[in-house]
Amino acid sequence: AVPGKQTVSVLAKQGKNGSLRPWTSPSGRRVAIVSHGRQSPNEMITSAERENAWRTWGLRALGFIVMIIGSALIVSPVREIVSYLRWIPLVGGFAAGVVNLGVSMAAATATVVCACGVIGTSWLAHRPALAYTLFAVSAGSYAWAWASGSRRREAERASTD
C-alpha cells in the first residue's frame, strides 16, 4: 500500500490474483524494482544499474582498505621491534623513522600487488582489457619494488668493497 496520493513506478510481474512478484528477465535474473514518481522501465533499470555499480565500487574500495589494514597488522611486529632504536641517542629516532617508512612502503606495495591481482582476476572473464591493465599495475608495482631492492643491495655491496 502506498500512503497518501504518491505516485510510484513498479517493475514486476503481476500474478493471477493481482499480487506483484519478481519478473524473470530473459537472462534468468529476477527483477522487482519500486521507484518514487513516474519512470519508464528503461529509467528504472538504468537507475538500478548505476546504484549497483556504486555499491560494487564501494565494496572494492572497502576490500582494498581491509587489505591495507591487514598488511599494516602483518608488519606491526617489525615496527614494534624497530621502535627500540629510538633509545639510541641522536640517530635512533631518525633510524627508526627510516626503517618504519621502508616497512610501510613494502606493505603498501604488497597490498597494491595483491589487490590488483585479485581484482584483475575477477574481471578477466567480463572485461579482459581492464583485467590486463590491473595485471600490468600489479606487475609494475612488483618490478618497482624488486628494482628498488636491487639498487639498494648493489649500493650496500659497493660500499663494503
Side-chain angles (χ1 to χ4, degrees), residues 100-121:
N100 279 332
L101 177 64
V103 168
S104 297
M105 291 294 289
T109 302
T111 299
V112 169
V113 168
C114 291
C116 289
V118 168
I119 294 170
T121 301

PDB file of all heavy atoms in Angstrom, residues 100-121:
ATOM      1  N   ASN A 100      60.825   2.311   9.577  1.00  0.00           N
ATOM      2  CA  ASN A 100      59.364   2.240   9.555  1.00  0.00           C
ATOM      3  C   ASN A 100      58.807   2.666   8.193  1.00  0.00           C
ATOM      4  O   ASN A 100      57.841   2.087   7.699  1.00  0.00           O
ATOM      5  CB  ASN A 100      58.749   3.095  10.661  1.00  0.00           C
ATOM      6  CG  ASN A 100      58.763   2.386  11.996  1.00  0.00           C
ATOM      7  OD1 ASN A 100      58.736   1.158  12.047  1.00  0.00           O
ATOM      8  ND2 ASN A 100      58.806   3.143  13.064  1.00  0.00           N
ATOM      9  N   LEU A 101      59.413   3.673   7.587  1.00  0.00           N
ATOM     10  CA  LEU A 101      58.993   4.102   6.255  1.00  0.00           C
ATOM     11  C   LEU A 101      59.205   2.979   5.243  1.00  0.00           C
ATOM     12  O   LEU A 101      58.335   2.690   4.425  1.00  0.00           O
ATOM     13  CB  LEU A 101      59.742   5.363   5.822  1.00  0.00           C
ATOM     14  CG  LEU A 101      59.427   5.872   4.412  1.00  0.00           C
ATOM     15  CD1 LEU A 101      57.968   6.312   4.323  1.00  0.00           C
ATOM     16  CD2 LEU A 101      60.347   7.005   4.040  1.00  0.00           C
ATOM     17  N   GLY A 102      60.352   2.337   5.302  1.00  0.00           N
ATOM     18  CA  GLY A 102      60.638   1.224   4.389  1.00  0.00           C
ATOM     19  C   GLY A 102      59.674   0.064   4.577  1.00  0.00           C
ATOM     20  O   GLY A 102      59.180  -0.511   3.597  1.00  0.00           O
ATOM     21  N   VAL A 103      59.386  -0.263   5.826  1.00  0.00           N
ATOM     22  CA  VAL A 103      58.455  -1.355   6.110  1.00  0.00           C
ATOM     23  C   VAL A 103      57.054  -0.990   5.619  1.00  0.00           C
ATOM     24  O   VAL A 103      56.350  -1.813   5.031  1.00  0.00           O
ATOM     25  CB  VAL A 103      58.452  -1.677   7.625  1.00  0.00           C
ATOM     26  CG1 VAL A 103      57.305  -2.589   8.004  1.00  0.00           C
ATOM     27  CG2 VAL A 103      59.777  -2.311   8.019  1.00  0.00           C
ATOM     28  N   SER A 104      56.657   0.266   5.832  1.00  0.00           N
ATOM     29  CA  SER A 104      55.335   0.710   5.371  1.00  0.00           C
ATOM     30  C   SER A 104      55.241   0.692   3.850  1.00  0.00           C
ATOM     31  O   SER A 104      54.212   0.306   3.290  1.00  0.00           O
ATOM     32  CB  SER A 104      55.038   2.117   5.890  1.00  0.00           C
ATOM     33  OG  SER A 104      54.976   2.115   7.294  1.00  0.00           O
ATOM     34  N   MET A 105      56.300   1.111   3.175  1.00  0.00           N
ATOM     35  CA  MET A 105      56.310   1.084   1.709  1.00  0.00           C
ATOM     36  C   MET A 105      56.237  -0.352   1.195  1.00  0.00           C
ATOM     37  O   MET A 105      55.540  -0.623   0.214  1.00  0.00           O
ATOM     38  CB  MET A 105      57.567   1.778   1.168  1.00  0.00           C
ATOM     39  CG  MET A 105      57.587   3.270   1.394  1.00  0.00           C
ATOM     40  SD  MET A 105      56.299   4.111   0.480  1.00  0.00           S
ATOM     41  CE  MET A 105      56.916   3.954  -1.166  1.00  0.00           C
ATOM     42  N   ALA A 106      56.935  -1.270   1.846  1.00  0.00           N
ATOM     43  CA  ALA A 106      56.876  -2.677   1.435  1.00  0.00           C
ATOM     44  C   ALA A 106      55.466  -3.222   1.622  1.00  0.00           C
ATOM     45  O   ALA A 106      54.942  -3.937   0.755  1.00  0.00           O
ATOM     46  CB  ALA A 106      57.878  -3.496   2.238  1.00  0.00           C
ATOM     47  N   ALA A 107      54.821  -2.887   2.738  1.00  0.00           N
ATOM     48  CA  ALA A 107      53.453  -3.354   2.980  1.00  0.00           C
ATOM     49  C   ALA A 107      52.479  -2.746   1.972  1.00  0.00           C
ATOM     50  O   ALA A 107      51.590  -3.434   1.464  1.00  0.00           O
ATOM     51  CB  ALA A 107      53.027  -2.995   4.407  1.00  0.00           C
ATOM     52  N   ALA A 108      52.655  -1.467   1.658  1.00  0.00           N
ATOM     53  CA  ALA A 108      51.771  -0.812   0.681  1.00  0.00           C
ATOM     54  C   ALA A 108      51.954  -1.425  -0.705  1.00  0.00           C
ATOM     55  O   ALA A 108      50.974  -1.655  -1.425  1.00  0.00           O
ATOM     56  CB  ALA A 108      52.054   0.690   0.644  1.00  0.00           C
ATOM     57  N   THR A 109      53.199  -1.725  -1.075  1.00  0.00           N
ATOM     58  CA  THR A 109      53.458  -2.348  -2.369  1.00  0.00           C
ATOM     59  C   THR A 109      52.832  -3.730  -2.436  1.00  0.00           C
ATOM     60  O   THR A 109      52.206  -4.092  -3.436  1.00  0.00           O
ATOM     61  CB  THR A 109      54.975  -2.430  -2.640  1.00  0.00           C
ATOM     62  OG1 THR A 109      55.521  -1.112  -2.581  1.00  0.00           O
ATOM     63  CG2 THR A 109      55.264  -3.044  -3.991  1.00  0.00           C
ATOM     64  N   ALA A 110      52.973  -4.507  -1.364  1.00  0.00           N
ATOM     65  CA  ALA A 110      52.359  -5.835  -1.327  1.00  0.00           C
ATOM     66  C   ALA A 110      50.841  -5.735  -1.440  1.00  0.00           C
ATOM     67  O   ALA A 110      50.201  -6.545  -2.115  1.00  0.00           O
ATOM     68  CB  ALA A 110      52.744  -6.552  -0.036  1.00  0.00           C
ATOM     69  N   THR A 111      50.267  -4.712  -0.803  1.00  0.00           N
ATOM     70  CA  THR A 111      48.822  -4.519  -0.885  1.00  0.00           C
ATOM     71  C   THR A 111      48.392  -4.206  -2.313  1.00  0.00           C
ATOM     72  O   THR A 111      47.422  -4.781  -2.821  1.00  0.00           O
ATOM     73  CB  THR A 111      48.380  -3.380   0.055  1.00  0.00           C
ATOM     74  OG1 THR A 111      48.708  -3.739   1.395  1.00  0.00           O
ATOM     75  CG2 THR A 111      46.901  -3.118  -0.048  1.00  0.00           C
ATOM     76  N   VAL A 112      49.099  -3.306  -2.982  1.00  0.00           N
ATOM     77  CA  VAL A 112      48.746  -2.950  -4.363  1.00  0.00           C
ATOM     78  C   VAL A 112      48.896  -4.154  -5.284  1.00  0.00           C
ATOM     79  O   VAL A 112      48.016  -4.428  -6.115  1.00  0.00           O
ATOM     80  CB  VAL A 112      49.605  -1.762  -4.863  1.00  0.00           C
ATOM     81  CG1 VAL A 112      49.451  -1.560  -6.355  1.00  0.00           C
ATOM     82  CG2 VAL A 112      49.235  -0.503  -4.116  1.00  0.00           C
ATOM     83  N   VAL A 113      49.976  -4.911  -5.120  1.00  0.00           N
ATOM     84  CA  VAL A 113      50.206  -6.086  -5.964  1.00  0.00           C
ATOM     85  C   VAL A 113      49.085  -7.100  -5.761  1.00  0.00           C
ATOM     86  O   VAL A 113      48.484  -7.591  -6.730  1.00  0.00           O
ATOM     87  CB  VAL A 113      51.584  -6.716  -5.668  1.00  0.00           C
ATOM     88  CG1 VAL A 113      51.718  -8.083  -6.315  1.00  0.00           C
ATOM     89  CG2 VAL A 113      52.700  -5.797  -6.143  1.00  0.00           C
ATOM     90  N   CYS A 114      48.762  -7.403  -4.514  1.00  0.00           N
ATOM     91  CA  CYS A 114      47.722  -8.402  -4.233  1.00  0.00           C
ATOM     92  C   CYS A 114      46.337  -7.915  -4.656  1.00  0.00           C
ATOM     93  O   CYS A 114      45.570  -8.660  -5.264  1.00  0.00           O
ATOM     94  CB  CYS A 114      47.722  -8.767  -2.751  1.00  0.00           C
ATOM     95  SG  CYS A 114      49.176  -9.691  -2.248  1.00  0.00           S
ATOM     96  N   ALA A 115      46.004  -6.669  -4.323  1.00  0.00           N
ATOM     97  CA  ALA A 115      44.668  -6.145  -4.647  1.00  0.00           C
ATOM     98  C   ALA A 115      44.462  -6.098  -6.154  1.00  0.00           C
ATOM     99  O   ALA A 115      43.407  -6.527  -6.655  1.00  0.00           O
ATOM    100  CB  ALA A 115      44.481  -4.762  -4.034  1.00  0.00           C
ATOM    101  N   CYS A 116      45.428  -5.600  -6.896  1.00  0.00           N
ATOM    102  CA  CYS A 116      45.290  -5.531  -8.354  1.00  0.00           C
ATOM    103  C   CYS A 116      45.224  -6.934  -8.957  1.00  0.00           C
ATOM    104  O   CYS A 116      44.480  -7.167  -9.914  1.00  0.00           O
ATOM    105  CB  CYS A 116      46.427  -4.738  -8.970  1.00  0.00           C
ATOM    106  SG  CYS A 116      46.312  -2.976  -8.629  1.00  0.00           S
ATOM    107  N   GLY A 117      45.972  -7.862  -8.398  1.00  0.00           N
ATOM    108  CA  GLY A 117      45.907  -9.242  -8.887  1.00  0.00           C
ATOM    109  C   GLY A 117      44.545  -9.877  -8.656  1.00  0.00           C
ATOM    110  O   GLY A 117      43.983 -10.515  -9.554  1.00  0.00           O
ATOM    111  N   VAL A 118      43.984  -9.683  -7.462  1.00  0.00           N
ATOM    112  CA  VAL A 118      42.677 -10.262  -7.150  1.00  0.00           C
ATOM    113  C   VAL A 118      41.574  -9.605  -7.977  1.00  0.00           C
ATOM    114  O   VAL A 118      40.729 -10.287  -8.574  1.00  0.00           O
ATOM    115  CB  VAL A 118      42.373 -10.126  -5.635  1.00  0.00           C
ATOM    116  CG1 VAL A 118      40.923 -10.447  -5.330  1.00  0.00           C
ATOM    117  CG2 VAL A 118      43.291 -11.036  -4.836  1.00  0.00           C
ATOM    118  N   ILE A 119      41.570  -8.280  -8.038  1.00  0.00           N
ATOM    119  CA  ILE A 119      40.541  -7.575  -8.804  1.00  0.00           C
ATOM    120  C   ILE A 119      40.682  -7.885 -10.291  1.00  0.00           C
ATOM    121  O   ILE A 119      39.691  -8.101 -10.988  1.00  0.00           O
ATOM    122  CB  ILE A 119      40.600  -6.055  -8.533  1.00  0.00           C
ATOM    123  CG1 ILE A 119      40.237  -5.767  -7.074  1.00  0.00           C
ATOM    124  CG2 ILE A 119      39.657  -5.303  -9.452  1.00  0.00           C
ATOM    125  CD1 ILE A 119      40.503  -4.332  -6.644  1.00  0.00           C
ATOM    126  N   GLY A 120      41.913  -7.941 -10.792  1.00  0.00           N
ATOM    127  CA  GLY A 120      42.134  -8.281 -12.197  1.00  0.00           C
ATOM    128  C   GLY A 120      41.643  -9.675 -12.533  1.00  0.00           C
ATOM    129  O   GLY A 120      41.036  -9.900 -13.590  1.00  0.00           O
ATOM    130  N   THR A 121      41.874 -10.627 -11.636  1.00  0.00           N
ATOM    131  CA  THR A 121      41.400 -11.987 -11.863  1.00  0.00           C
ATOM    132  C   THR A 121      39.881 -12.029 -11.934  1.00  0.00           C
ATOM    133  O   THR A 121      39.305 -12.730 -12.764  1.00  0.00           O
ATOM    134  CB  THR A 121      41.903 -12.918 -10.748  1.00  0.00           C
ATOM    135  OG1 THR A 121      43.339 -12.880 -10.728  1.00  0.00           O
ATOM    136  CG2 THR A 121      41.448 -14.343 -10.968  1.00  0.00           C
TER     137      THR A 121
END
